[in-house]
Short mmCIF file of all heavy atoms in Angstrom, two decimals:
data_model
loop_
_atom_site.label_atom_id
_atom_site.label_comp_id
_atom_site.label_asym_id
_atom_site.label_seq_id
_atom_site.Cartn_x
_atom_site.Cartn_y
_atom_site.Cartn_z
N SER H 1 41.78 101.24 26.89
CA SER H 1 41.37 100.35 25.81
C SER H 1 41.75 100.89 24.42
O SER H 1 41.51 100.23 23.41
CB SER H 1 39.86 100.12 25.84
OG SER H 1 39.18 101.32 25.49
N THR H 2 42.34 102.09 24.40
CA THR H 2 42.65 102.71 23.12
C THR H 2 44.01 102.27 22.59
O THR H 2 45.03 102.52 23.25
CB THR H 2 42.62 104.26 23.24
OG1 THR H 2 41.38 104.66 23.80
CG2 THR H 2 42.82 104.91 21.88
N PRO H 3 44.06 101.61 21.44
CA PRO H 3 45.34 101.11 20.92
C PRO H 3 46.24 102.26 20.45
O PRO H 3 45.77 103.38 20.20
CB PRO H 3 44.94 100.24 19.76
CG PRO H 3 43.62 100.77 19.32
CD PRO H 3 42.95 101.27 20.56
N THR H 4 47.53 101.96 20.34
CA THR H 4 48.49 103.00 19.96
C THR H 4 48.17 103.61 18.59
O THR H 4 48.46 104.76 18.35
CB THR H 4 49.92 102.45 19.96
OG1 THR H 4 49.96 101.29 19.08
CG2 THR H 4 50.35 102.03 21.34
N SER H 5 47.55 102.84 17.72
CA SER H 5 47.22 103.34 16.38
C SER H 5 46.24 104.50 16.44
O SER H 5 46.13 105.29 15.49
CB SER H 5 46.64 102.22 15.52
OG SER H 5 45.43 101.71 16.10
N GLU H 6 45.52 104.63 17.55
CA GLU H 6 44.60 105.75 17.74
C GLU H 6 45.12 106.81 18.68
O GLU H 6 44.40 107.76 19.04
CB GLU H 6 43.24 105.20 18.23
CG GLU H 6 42.56 104.24 17.24
CD GLU H 6 41.27 103.67 17.79
OE1 GLU H 6 40.67 104.31 18.69
OE2 GLU H 6 40.86 102.58 17.35
N GLN H 7 46.37 106.64 19.11
CA GLN H 7 46.96 107.61 20.03
C GLN H 7 47.98 108.51 19.36
O GLN H 7 48.14 109.65 19.72
CB GLN H 7 47.63 106.88 21.19
CG GLN H 7 46.67 106.12 22.08
CD GLN H 7 47.38 105.55 23.29
OE1 GLN H 7 48.02 106.24 24.04
NE2 GLN H 7 47.28 104.24 23.46
N TYR H 8 48.77 107.95 18.44
CA TYR H 8 49.77 108.75 17.76
C TYR H 8 50.04 108.13 16.38
O TYR H 8 49.71 106.97 16.13
CB TYR H 8 51.08 108.80 18.57
CG TYR H 8 51.67 107.48 18.95
CD1 TYR H 8 52.50 106.78 18.06
CD2 TYR H 8 51.41 106.91 20.19
CE1 TYR H 8 53.05 105.55 18.42
CE2 TYR H 8 51.94 105.69 20.54
CZ TYR H 8 52.77 105.00 19.65
OH TYR H 8 53.29 103.80 20.00
N ASN H 9 50.66 108.93 15.51
CA ASN H 9 50.77 108.50 14.13
C ASN H 9 52.21 108.39 13.65
O ASN H 9 52.48 108.49 12.46
CB ASN H 9 50.00 109.46 13.21
CG ASN H 9 49.60 108.83 11.92
OD1 ASN H 9 49.44 107.62 11.84
ND2 ASN H 9 49.46 109.66 10.88
N CYS H 10 53.14 108.24 14.59
CA CYS H 10 54.52 107.97 14.20
C CYS H 10 54.80 106.48 14.46
O CYS H 10 54.06 105.82 15.19
CB CYS H 10 55.50 108.84 14.96
SG CYS H 10 55.32 108.82 16.75
N THR H 11 55.87 105.97 13.89
CA THR H 11 56.14 104.54 14.03
C THR H 11 56.52 104.19 15.47
O THR H 11 56.03 103.23 16.06
CB THR H 11 57.28 104.11 13.09
OG1 THR H 11 56.91 104.48 11.76
CG2 THR H 11 57.51 102.62 13.14
N HIS H 12 57.42 104.99 16.03
CA HIS H 12 57.89 104.77 17.40
C HIS H 12 57.82 106.09 18.17
O HIS H 12 58.06 107.16 17.60
CB HIS H 12 59.34 104.26 17.41
CG HIS H 12 59.59 103.05 16.55
ND1 HIS H 12 59.11 101.80 16.90
CD2 HIS H 12 60.22 102.91 15.36
CE1 HIS H 12 59.48 100.94 15.97
NE2 HIS H 12 60.15 101.58 15.01
N ILE H 13 57.55 106.00 19.47
CA ILE H 13 57.60 107.19 20.31
C ILE H 13 59.00 107.76 20.33
O ILE H 13 59.21 108.96 20.40
CB ILE H 13 57.09 106.86 21.72
CG1 ILE H 13 55.58 106.60 21.68
CG2 ILE H 13 57.41 107.99 22.71
CD1 ILE H 13 55.01 106.09 22.96
N ALA H 14 60.00 106.86 20.24
CA ALA H 14 61.39 107.32 20.23
C ALA H 14 61.68 108.25 19.07
O ALA H 14 62.60 109.07 19.13
CB ALA H 14 62.34 106.11 20.21
N ASP H 15 60.90 108.15 17.98
CA ASP H 15 61.10 109.02 16.83
C ASP H 15 60.93 110.50 17.21
O ASP H 15 61.50 111.37 16.55
CB ASP H 15 60.12 108.68 15.71
CG ASP H 15 60.35 107.30 15.13
OD1 ASP H 15 61.45 106.75 15.33
OD2 ASP H 15 59.42 106.76 14.49
N ARG H 16 60.17 110.75 18.25
CA ARG H 16 59.93 112.13 18.65
C ARG H 16 61.19 112.80 19.19
O ARG H 16 61.28 114.03 19.25
CB ARG H 16 58.82 112.19 19.70
CG ARG H 16 57.50 111.61 19.24
CD ARG H 16 56.43 111.79 20.31
NE ARG H 16 55.23 111.03 19.98
CZ ARG H 16 54.16 110.99 20.77
NH1 ARG H 16 54.13 111.68 21.91
NH2 ARG H 16 53.08 110.28 20.41
N GLY H 17 62.14 112.00 19.65
CA GLY H 17 63.36 112.58 20.17
C GLY H 17 64.05 113.50 19.18
O GLY H 17 64.63 114.54 19.56
N LYS H 18 63.98 113.15 17.89
CA LYS H 18 64.63 113.98 16.85
C LYS H 18 64.08 115.40 16.86
O LYS H 18 64.81 116.37 16.65
CB LYS H 18 64.44 113.33 15.49
CG LYS H 18 65.05 111.94 15.34
CD LYS H 18 64.67 111.32 14.01
CE LYS H 18 65.21 109.89 13.90
NZ LYS H 18 64.78 109.23 12.63
N ALA H 19 62.78 115.51 17.07
CA ALA H 19 62.14 116.83 17.04
C ALA H 19 62.64 117.74 18.16
O ALA H 19 62.59 118.96 18.05
CB ALA H 19 60.62 116.69 17.14
N TYR H 20 63.10 117.13 19.25
CA TYR H 20 63.60 117.91 20.38
C TYR H 20 65.12 117.99 20.41
O TYR H 20 65.69 118.52 21.37
CB TYR H 20 63.10 117.28 21.69
CG TYR H 20 61.58 117.28 21.78
CD1 TYR H 20 60.87 116.10 21.59
CD2 TYR H 20 60.89 118.45 22.04
CE1 TYR H 20 59.49 116.08 21.66
CE2 TYR H 20 59.51 118.43 22.11
CZ TYR H 20 58.81 117.25 21.93
OH TYR H 20 57.44 117.26 21.97
N GLY H 21 65.76 117.48 19.35
CA GLY H 21 67.22 117.45 19.36
C GLY H 21 67.74 116.57 20.48
O GLY H 21 68.77 116.86 21.10
N MET H 22 67.03 115.49 20.75
CA MET H 22 67.30 114.67 21.91
C MET H 22 67.66 113.24 21.52
O MET H 22 67.06 112.66 20.62
CB MET H 22 66.04 114.65 22.80
CG MET H 22 66.18 113.90 24.12
SD MET H 22 64.61 113.86 25.05
CE MET H 22 64.34 115.63 25.33
N GLU H 23 68.63 112.73 22.17
CA GLU H 23 69.04 111.33 21.98
C GLU H 23 67.86 110.42 22.37
O GLU H 23 67.17 110.66 23.35
CB GLU H 23 70.24 111.04 22.88
CG GLU H 23 70.77 109.64 22.84
CD GLU H 23 71.91 109.46 23.82
OE1 GLU H 23 72.64 110.45 24.12
OE2 GLU H 23 72.09 108.32 24.30
N ALA H 24 67.62 109.37 21.58
CA ALA H 24 66.50 108.48 21.85
C ALA H 24 66.89 107.05 21.56
O ALA H 24 67.71 106.78 20.65
CB ALA H 24 65.28 108.86 21.01
N HIS H 25 66.32 106.13 22.31
CA HIS H 25 66.62 104.69 22.17
C HIS H 25 65.33 103.89 22.25
O HIS H 25 64.37 104.29 22.91
CB HIS H 25 67.57 104.22 23.28
CG HIS H 25 68.87 104.93 23.33
ND1 HIS H 25 69.98 104.48 22.69
CD2 HIS H 25 69.23 106.09 23.96
CE1 HIS H 25 70.99 105.31 22.91
NE2 HIS H 25 70.55 106.30 23.67
N ILE H 26 65.34 102.72 21.58
CA ILE H 26 64.27 101.73 21.72
C ILE H 26 64.88 100.52 22.40
O ILE H 26 65.92 100.01 21.98
CB ILE H 26 63.68 101.36 20.37
CG1 ILE H 26 63.02 102.59 19.71
CG2 ILE H 26 62.67 100.23 20.50
CD1 ILE H 26 62.53 102.36 18.29
N VAL H 27 64.20 100.05 23.46
CA VAL H 27 64.72 98.93 24.25
C VAL H 27 63.65 97.85 24.34
O VAL H 27 62.47 98.16 24.50
CB VAL H 27 65.13 99.39 25.65
CG1 VAL H 27 65.56 98.21 26.52
CG2 VAL H 27 66.26 100.44 25.57
N GLU H 28 64.06 96.58 24.23
CA GLU H 28 63.14 95.45 24.43
C GLU H 28 62.80 95.41 25.92
O GLU H 28 63.59 94.97 26.75
CB GLU H 28 63.81 94.14 23.99
CG GLU H 28 63.05 92.89 24.33
CD GLU H 28 61.60 92.92 23.92
OE1 GLU H 28 61.33 93.07 22.70
OE2 GLU H 28 60.73 92.84 24.81
N GLY H 29 61.59 95.84 26.23
CA GLY H 29 61.20 96.04 27.62
C GLY H 29 60.91 94.78 28.40
O GLY H 29 60.75 94.84 29.62
N ASN H 30 60.85 93.63 27.75
CA ASN H 30 60.57 92.37 28.46
C ASN H 30 61.83 91.57 28.75
O ASN H 30 61.74 90.47 29.26
CB ASN H 30 59.57 91.52 27.67
CG ASN H 30 58.15 92.03 27.83
OD1 ASN H 30 57.93 93.23 27.92
ND2 ASN H 30 57.19 91.13 27.89
N ASN H 31 62.98 92.13 28.43
CA ASN H 31 64.25 91.47 28.69
C ASN H 31 64.98 92.27 29.76
O ASN H 31 65.56 93.32 29.48
CB ASN H 31 65.08 91.38 27.40
CG ASN H 31 66.37 90.61 27.59
OD1 ASN H 31 66.94 90.58 28.69
ND2 ASN H 31 66.85 89.98 26.53
N VAL H 32 65.00 91.77 30.99
CA VAL H 32 65.55 92.54 32.08
C VAL H 32 67.04 92.81 31.92
O VAL H 32 67.55 93.87 32.33
CB VAL H 32 65.25 91.86 33.45
CG1 VAL H 32 66.04 90.56 33.59
CG2 VAL H 32 65.54 92.82 34.61
N LEU H 33 67.76 91.88 31.29
CA LEU H 33 69.19 92.09 31.07
C LEU H 33 69.42 93.22 30.06
O LEU H 33 70.33 94.05 30.25
CB LEU H 33 69.84 90.80 30.59
CG LEU H 33 69.87 89.65 31.61
CD1 LEU H 33 70.52 88.43 30.99
CD2 LEU H 33 70.61 90.07 32.86
N GLU H 34 68.62 93.25 29.02
CA GLU H 34 68.74 94.33 28.05
C GLU H 34 68.36 95.67 28.66
O GLU H 34 69.03 96.68 28.44
CB GLU H 34 67.91 94.04 26.80
CG GLU H 34 68.04 95.13 25.73
CD GLU H 34 67.29 94.83 24.46
OE1 GLU H 34 66.97 93.64 24.22
OE2 GLU H 34 67.02 95.78 23.70
N VAL H 35 67.28 95.67 29.42
CA VAL H 35 66.87 96.91 30.07
C VAL H 35 67.98 97.42 30.97
O VAL H 35 68.39 98.59 30.87
CB VAL H 35 65.58 96.69 30.89
CG1 VAL H 35 65.27 97.94 31.74
CG2 VAL H 35 64.40 96.40 29.99
N TYR H 36 68.48 96.57 31.83
CA TYR H 36 69.50 97.01 32.79
C TYR H 36 70.78 97.44 32.08
O TYR H 36 71.31 98.52 32.36
CB TYR H 36 69.84 95.88 33.78
CG TYR H 36 71.04 96.23 34.63
CD1 TYR H 36 70.97 97.18 35.65
CD2 TYR H 36 72.28 95.65 34.35
CE1 TYR H 36 72.08 97.52 36.38
CE2 TYR H 36 73.41 95.98 35.09
CZ TYR H 36 73.30 96.95 36.09
OH TYR H 36 74.41 97.29 36.82
N SER H 37 71.25 96.62 31.16
CA SER H 37 72.56 96.92 30.55
C SER H 37 72.51 98.19 29.70
O SER H 37 73.42 99.03 29.78
CB SER H 37 73.03 95.74 29.68
OG SER H 37 72.10 95.47 28.65
N LYS H 38 71.43 98.38 28.95
CA LYS H 38 71.33 99.59 28.13
C LYS H 38 71.10 100.84 28.95
O LYS H 38 71.72 101.89 28.71
CB LYS H 38 70.25 99.41 27.08
CG LYS H 38 70.62 98.41 25.99
CD LYS H 38 69.68 98.45 24.80
CE LYS H 38 70.16 97.53 23.68
NZ LYS H 38 69.29 97.57 22.48
N VAL H 39 70.23 100.75 29.94
CA VAL H 39 69.97 101.92 30.78
C VAL H 39 71.20 102.23 31.63
O VAL H 39 71.55 103.40 31.82
CB VAL H 39 68.73 101.71 31.68
CG1 VAL H 39 68.55 102.88 32.64
CG2 VAL H 39 67.49 101.55 30.82
N ASN H 40 71.90 101.23 32.10
CA ASN H 40 73.10 101.44 32.89
C ASN H 40 74.15 102.17 32.06
O ASN H 40 74.81 103.11 32.53
CB ASN H 40 73.64 100.12 33.39
CG ASN H 40 74.80 100.28 34.37
OD1 ASN H 40 74.73 101.10 35.27
ND2 ASN H 40 75.85 99.50 34.19
N LYS H 41 74.32 101.77 30.81
CA LYS H 41 75.27 102.41 29.93
C LYS H 41 74.88 103.86 29.67
O LYS H 41 75.73 104.77 29.71
CB LYS H 41 75.36 101.63 28.61
CG LYS H 41 76.37 102.21 27.64
CD LYS H 41 76.40 101.38 26.34
CE LYS H 41 77.40 101.95 25.35
NZ LYS H 41 77.45 101.14 24.09
N ILE H 42 73.60 104.09 29.39
CA ILE H 42 73.11 105.45 29.16
C ILE H 42 73.29 106.30 30.41
O ILE H 42 73.75 107.46 30.34
CB ILE H 42 71.63 105.41 28.73
CG1 ILE H 42 71.48 104.74 27.37
CG2 ILE H 42 71.04 106.83 28.71
CD1 ILE H 42 70.03 104.40 27.02
N ALA H 43 72.95 105.74 31.58
CA ALA H 43 73.03 106.48 32.85
C ALA H 43 74.46 106.91 33.14
O ALA H 43 74.70 108.06 33.54
CB ALA H 43 72.48 105.65 33.99
N LYS H 44 75.42 106.02 32.94
CA LYS H 44 76.83 106.37 33.17
C LYS H 44 77.25 107.51 32.26
O LYS H 44 77.96 108.44 32.69
CB LYS H 44 77.70 105.15 32.95
CG LYS H 44 77.61 104.09 34.03
CD LYS H 44 78.50 102.90 33.73
CE LYS H 44 78.44 101.86 34.86
NZ LYS H 44 79.30 100.68 34.57
N SER H 45 76.81 107.47 31.01
CA SER H 45 77.12 108.52 30.07
C SER H 45 76.51 109.85 30.44
O SER H 45 77.15 110.92 30.36
CB SER H 45 76.71 108.09 28.66
OG SER H 45 76.90 109.13 27.73
N VAL H 46 75.24 109.81 30.88
CA VAL H 46 74.53 111.04 31.24
C VAL H 46 75.15 111.69 32.47
O VAL H 46 75.22 112.92 32.60
CB VAL H 46 73.03 110.76 31.45
CG1 VAL H 46 72.33 111.97 32.08
CG2 VAL H 46 72.39 110.42 30.12
N ARG H 47 75.63 110.86 33.41
CA ARG H 47 76.29 111.44 34.60
C ARG H 47 77.55 112.20 34.22
O ARG H 47 77.89 113.21 34.84
CB ARG H 47 76.61 110.32 35.61
CG ARG H 47 75.38 109.71 36.23
CD ARG H 47 75.72 108.69 37.31
NE ARG H 47 74.54 107.91 37.67
CZ ARG H 47 74.36 106.64 37.35
NH1 ARG H 47 75.30 105.97 36.67
NH2 ARG H 47 73.26 106.01 37.68
N LYS H 48 78.25 111.72 33.21
CA LYS H 48 79.46 112.41 32.76
C LYS H 48 79.15 113.56 31.83
O LYS H 48 79.84 114.60 31.85
CB LYS H 48 80.38 111.39 32.04
CG LYS H 48 80.98 110.33 32.95
CD LYS H 48 81.85 109.37 32.16
CE LYS H 48 82.47 108.29 33.06
NZ LYS H 48 83.28 107.33 32.25
#
C-alpha cells in the first residue's frame, strides 16, 4: 500500500543506473510491442 513517493526520492528508478556506471532504460510497460522490441534490441546487444 506504500506509494513510490514514500519508497524513493529520485524521479525514475532508471536514474540509479548512472550511479553504477550502468546503462539504463525506461520502457512503457503496458505496451507489449514496445516491451518486446526494446528488450529484444537490448538483449541482442548484450549477447554481443
Side-chain angles (χ1 to χ4, degrees):
S1 69
T2 305
T4 55
S5 61
E6 297 177 24
Q7 294 185 57
Y8 55 85
N9 203 27
C10 52
T11 304
H12 306 288
I13 289 172
D15 294 341
R16 301 183 190 179
K18 297 174 185 176
Y20 299 104
M22 184 183 298
E23 179 183 333
H25 300 267
I26 296 174
V27 176
E28 172 50 61
N30 281 36
N31 184 331
V32 69
L33 294 179
E34 181 176 340
V35 171
Y36 170 74
S37 60
K38 289 192 174 181
V39 175
N40 188 45
K41 182 180 179 180
I42 294 167
K44 287 180 178 179
S45 175
V46 169
R47 293 185 192 108
K48 291 180 181 178

